[in-house]
Amino acid sequence: MRLKVLPPTLRKNNRYLTLDIKTTSPITKDELVNMIWDACIRFQGEAITSNFNLWVMKFYEIEKTEDYIRYKSIVRCQRDFTENVRSSLALTYKYSGNVVSLTTIGMSGTIKASQKYI
């Protein structure tokens, strides 16, 4: 038996945030996921964060210098909560003893459109 695909009217509306990440030590995609969830839970609380529908779609290493390592990432969230996610990420400055800077550099409705910011 085939599974039926949800029609577009019943699907969740997503937005894709392009993040610029600067850190003093290397991180992995899993550490980024933990960092994002930790930031949202600390600032918004568990009840509101559960509605965000957060997911890290893509993760790229862009630049490596003596002072910092720069990454870019595309994160999916639900349309109604983009401002909550952006404010939570902007307040993150430290994770696991490392200095971290998370900045949103773009927002779009598709992954393809959000890749122009990378």
Side-chain angles (χ1 to χ4, degrees):
M1 185 167 128
R2 285 181 82 190
L3 293 174
K4 293 185 180 181
V5 178
L6 279 176
T9 56
L10 295 177
R11 294 182 198 156
K12 292 181 180 179
N13 294 320
N14 295 319
R15 292 294 176 262
Y16 298 91
L17 303 173
T18 305
L19 302 179
D20 184 39
I21 305 149
K22 290 183 183 175
T23 180
T24 55
S25 65
I27 61 171
T28 63
K29 184 177 178 180
D30 293 333
E31 290 174 334
L32 177 65
V33 170
N34 290 336
M35 190 183 314
I36 291 172
W37 276 101
D38 185 49
C40 290
I41 287 173
R42 276 188 297 123
F43 186 65
Q44 302 291 335
E46 286 185 26
I48 298 173
T49 302
S50 65
N51 296 325
F52 289 175
N53 194 23
L54 289 172
W55 197 262
V56 175
M57 304 301 287
K58 305 220 181 229
F59 182 69
Y60 306 101
E61 182 177 335
I62 301 296
E63 179 182 4
K64 195 171 193 177
T65 65
E66 294 177 7
D67 299 329
Y68 62 89
I69 302 169
R70 186 173 173 201
Y71 301 94
K72 289 200 179 180
S73 178
I74 297 175
V75 176
R76 181 185 73 193
C77 69
Q78 199 166 345
R79 179 183 66 190
D80 300 332
F81 298 102
T82 56
E83 294 302 318
N84 295 347
V85 173
R86 290 176 72 188
S87 62
S88 299
L89 295 178
L91 293 173
T92 303
Y93 63 92
K94 226 175 203 188
Y95 184 77
S96 297
N98 301 322
V99 179
V100 174
S101 170
L102 294 170
T103 309
T104 305
I105 56 174
M107 180 174 62
S108 66
T110 63
I111 295 174
K112 185 176 180 180
S114 65
Q115 286 180 342
K116 70 180 177 185
Y117 298 109
I118 293 177

